[in-house]
Amino acid sequence: MAAFSFNKLVIFGVGLIGGSLARGLRERAGFAGHVVGVGRSVKSVERALELGVIDEAAALDDDAALSRALQGADIVLLAAPVAQTGPLLARIAPFLDARTIVTDAGSTKSDVVAAARQALGARFVPGHPIAGRESSGVDAALPDLYVDRNVVLCPLPENATDDVERVASMWRATGACVRQMSEAQHDRVFASVSHLPHVLSFALVDQILGTPDAELKFSFAADGFRDFTRIAASSPEMWRDICLANRAALLAELDDYTAVLARFRAAIEASDGAALEAAFTRSRVARKEWQKLGGIKPSGDVAAK
Amino acid sequence: MAAFSFNKLVIFGVGLIGGSLARGLRERAGFAGHVVGVGRSVKSVERALELGVIDEAAALDDDAALSRALQGADIVLLAAPVAQTGPLLARIAPFLDARTIVTDAGSTKSDVVAAARQALGARFVPGHPIAGRESSGVDAALPDLYVDRNVVLCPLPENATDDVERVASMWRATGACVRQMSEAQHDRVFASVSHLPHVLSFALVDQILGTPDAELKFSFAADGFRDFTRIAASSPEMWRDICLANRAALLAELDDYTAVLARFRAAIEASDGAALEAAFTRSRVARKEWQKLGGIKPSGDVAAK
């Protein structure tokens, strides 16, 4: 059984991400400390309490409950949509103990860092667990969601090394591999391999919907379409927020992608079979190689802080 | 057990598609007739013979064997890459009985129709079974590959109704739903829901490969990337051929998609969250609806010939 460097954990937003952390710590790693869940209303965390995922529920809009929830907290995790980070931090800052470390699970980091620096300074350790499921909410939470998954931490120069290590060890206890990079690098990487594909997938369905024979097209869509558009069934609010939060990096990736597409288009228009085959072959080899490596290749920290 | 309107079937290219037809007819529908497989060399169809998928193997370059293979054939299926349709038809035309119906399994139809009209006239019934697997070759062939799958036939005005019906009943015996549309409509629909997504998926991997931190990006690519790029592991030769064969329809779809992407880009640049959320919501609802209908919605013939 792991020894824990923290005893009281407070999770803001006990859904898939926050709930799986709690379950992973308790059911997988034997964490015996206290877990508090905070929701916009008590009702939103009641289900987590009912499922035994948390020990105590509190409402964000209740000063007394919030104060009690945060008192003596070792680690606070924000697992709410990234757009709420600023308001959330402003709301909880007055109730935080000086020694409490705050971390988050947001999909974008530059915007979160900007908001957190202003509100909390050195006590905020930015993080992003790379895991998800199609279903959301605490009922979808799993104790092993993070096993062999990457959790990216983007430590700030002002963070204490011990604080970063405490957050890292919390995630490691769930079976995750912790990797570090700067927030700018994080946002570039995820704009490329996650945010852009989501936009492209939403766009394909949007395009089909805009044509008079949409129903006919959908009726012939098969396996390729299914996989390509699976992520177009993702949460519109979450992806709206991500697009706005990571706007600069995403626009750069979109422009770069549009240029690649223009190159492909030119080859198709010129009936340049050799160019198409060469490009498709390169992509296929890379995609197969990626798959062979298990899709996700944990290889330790990739960039010095 | 179904009564069959044909007794001798000759399949050119006994891989996943041709092999699954043979296995479906024999193992699922109780077809007791004769199935001949023809390959570029005997070696390429030997495996199909060994597996019992076909009764007889012949090589395309052997005049005597080809003549024997085609003698008395009721139905000939071309299950070779679409680019080979023209040369293949020119090669077999001299050996064909006057009563033999020829059909195909190509992913594009306008180009195939042009080639077949020239070589065979009314005896060619264009077809396209909408089924596939990641693995290819006769070892991947399954008797139930076509169960509840769509098979599109694009009958020509000059086709005899009986000939079309004979091809349709062959596919129905494998469990497939036969649907009819014009070759132009077919090519538009599949440019949209199949060919374009393949190009977009190849392009994303190509884009990442073109950046200096490709390896880092791949190492953080997760489930969304996996599904979005699964089709980027498809056969480069096959997709090169499809892009060239369906060039006009694909270019139109690409341009339309680029316009949608430009609209999304403008919304992101303007931080227009409402527009993004509205578009993402529309796509999500449509994608979920599609999934609920089982992804593939067989609903009979969609367009009169």
Side-chain angles (χ1 to χ4, degrees):
Chain A
M1 198 131 306
F4 290 92
S5 59
F6 59 99
N7 189 51
K8 182 174 181 180
L9 171 67
V10 184
I11 300 175
F12 285 77
V14 191
L16 171 67
I17 297 299
S20 294
L21 171 64
R23 292 197 62 183
L25 288 174
R26 177 119 342 134
E27 299 170 43
R28 209 185 154 276
F31 177 64
H34 195 65
V35 181
V36 186
V38 185
R40 271 189 264 198
S41 63
V42 171
K43 206 169 174 304
S44 70
V45 272
E46 253 171 15
R47 178 68 184 150
L49 199 58
E50 200 177 297
L51 290 169
V53 171
I54 56 175
D55 302 303
E56 185 186 333
L60 188 61
D61 57 7
D62 179 340
D63 275 15
L66 189 60
S67 168
R68 200 169 47 240
L70 288 170
Q71 197 173 19
D74 296 297
I75 300 183
V76 165
L77 174 80
L78 309 186
V82 279
Q84 294 175 29
T85 308
L88 206 49
L89 289 174
R91 170 74 184 137
I92 68 174
F95 303 99
L96 277 178
D97 278 9
R99 59 176 201 81
T100 307
I101 309 167
V102 182
T103 185
D104 81 316
S107 311
T108 55
K109 294 271 70 74
S110 301
D111 63 315
V112 164
V113 165
R117 268 207 169 115
Q118 201 176 0
L120 294 184
R123 296 149 70 197
F124 187 82
V125 179
H128 178 200
I130 317 303
R133 301 180 65 192
E134 260 178 279
S135 26
S136 57
V138 70
D139 285 280
L142 299 170
D144 59 356
L145 184 70
Y146 301 113
V147 175
D148 293 334
R149 293 305 181 124
N150 286 312
V151 171
V152 179
L153 296 184
C154 303
L156 305 174
E158 60 265 37
N159 285 150
T161 310
D162 276 4
D163 289 353
V164 175
E165 183 48 34
R166 203 171 294 182
V167 174
S169 72
M170 173 183 77
W171 285 112
R172 279 190 210 107
T174 68
C177 307
V178 175
R179 300 173 67 179
Q180 297 190 13
M181 57 176 81
S182 73
E183 65 268 24
Q185 191 171 31
H186 169 281
D187 286 356
R188 261 200 321 273
V189 165
F190 288 94
S192 169
V193 301
S194 170
H195 309 167
L196 177 63
H198 276 80
V199 170
L200 298 177
S201 181
F202 280 124
L204 183 75
V205 181
D206 188 274
Q207 176 190 13
I208 296 173
L209 286 171
T211 56
D213 52 354
E215 208 178 333
L216 176 66
K217 286 173 179 162
F218 282 128
S219 80
F220 282 103
D223 301 1
F225 174 86
R226 180 197 61 215
D227 294 345
F228 187 92
T229 60
R230 190 184 61 81
I231 50 181
S234 305
S235 158
E237 301 78 21
M238 178 178 160
W239 285 94
R240 173 202 63 198
D241 287 354
I242 288 173
C243 287
L244 300 182
N246 201 20
R247 189 169 153 274
L250 179 55
L251 287 175
E253 290 300 324
L254 248 175
D255 290 345
D256 194 30
Y257 183 79
T258 305
V260 171
L261 221 47
R263 181 156 52 75
F264 277 30
R265 191 199 186 285
I268 295 169
E269 186 159 42
S271 294
D272 187 347
L276 290 173
E277 189 180 349
F280 294 172
T281 302
R282 272 196 310 273
S283 289
R284 181 198 211 197
V285 168
R287 177 56 173 70
K288 279 183 170 273
E289 185 67 15
W290 178 82
Q291 184 78 43
K292 214 168 63 191
L293 291 169
I296 295 146
K297 194 172 46 167
S299 58
D301 294 353
V302 292
K305 185 175 126 178
Chain B
M1 200 131 303
F4 290 94
S5 60
F6 59 97
N7 189 52
K8 182 174 181 180
L9 171 66
V10 184
I11 300 174
F12 285 77
V14 192
L16 171 68
I17 296 299
S20 294
L21 171 64
R23 291 198 62 184
L25 289 175
R26 176 118 344 132
E27 297 170 45
R28 210 185 153 275
F31 178 65
H34 195 66
V35 181
V36 186
V38 185
R40 270 189 263 200
S41 62
V42 172
K43 206 167 172 308
S44 69
V45 272
E46 253 170 14
R47 177 71 184 152
L49 200 58
E50 199 177 296
L51 291 168
V53 171
I54 56 175
D55 303 302
E56 185 186 332
L60 187 63
D61 57 5
D62 178 340
D63 275 15
L66 188 59
S67 168
R68 199 169 51 240
L70 288 169
Q71 197 173 19
D74 297 296
I75 300 183
V76 165
L77 173 80
L78 309 185
V82 280
Q84 294 175 31
T85 308
L88 204 49
L89 289 174
R91 170 74 185 139
I92 69 173
F95 303 100
L96 277 178
D97 278 9
R99 62 177 199 80
T100 307
I101 310 166
V102 182
T103 186
D104 79 315
S107 310
T108 55
K109 294 271 68 71
S110 301
D111 62 315
V112 164
V113 166
R117 267 205 170 115
Q118 201 176 1
L120 294 183
R123 296 149 71 197
F124 187 83
V125 179
H128 178 198
I130 318 301
R133 300 181 65 193
E134 261 178 278
S135 26
S136 57
V138 70
D139 285 280
L142 299 170
D144 59 356
L145 184 69
Y146 301 114
V147 174
D148 293 335
R149 292 305 181 123
N150 286 312
V151 171
V152 180
L153 296 184
C154 302
L156 305 174
E158 60 265 39
N159 284 151
T161 310
D162 276 4
D163 289 354
V164 175
E165 184 47 35
R166 202 170 297 180
V167 174
S169 71
M170 173 183 79
W171 284 112
R172 279 191 210 106
T174 67
C177 307
V178 176
R179 300 173 67 179
Q180 297 188 13
M181 57 175 80
S182 72
E183 66 268 25
Q185 192 171 32
H186 170 281
D187 285 355
R188 259 199 322 274
V189 165
F190 289 94
S192 169
V193 301
S194 171
H195 310 169
L196 177 62
H198 276 80
V199 169
L200 299 177
S201 181
F202 280 125
L204 183 75
V205 181
D206 188 274
Q207 177 189 10
I208 296 172
L209 286 171
T211 56
D213 51 354
E215 207 179 335
L216 176 66
K217 286 174 179 161
F218 283 127
S219 80
F220 281 103
D223 300 3
F225 174 87
R226 180 198 61 216
D227 294 346
F228 187 92
T229 60
R230 190 184 61 84
I231 50 183
S234 305
S235 157
E237 300 78 20
M238 177 176 158
W239 285 95
R240 172 202 64 199
D241 286 355
I242 288 174
C243 287
L244 300 182
N246 201 20
R247 189 169 153 274
L250 179 55
L251 287 176
E253 292 299 325
L254 249 175
D255 291 344
D256 196 31
Y257 183 80
T258 306
V260 172
L261 221 47
R263 183 157 51 77
F264 277 30
R265 189 197 188 286
I268 295 169
E269 186 160 40
S271 294
D272 187 347
L276 290 174
E277 188 181 350
F280 294 172
T281 301
R282 272 196 310 274
S283 289
R284 182 200 210 195
V285 168
R287 178 55 173 72
K288 280 185 169 271
E289 185 67 14
W290 178 83
Q291 184 78 43
K292 213 167 65 191
L293 292 169
I296 294 146
K297 193 172 51 169
S299 59
D301 294 353
V302 290
K305 186 177 128 181

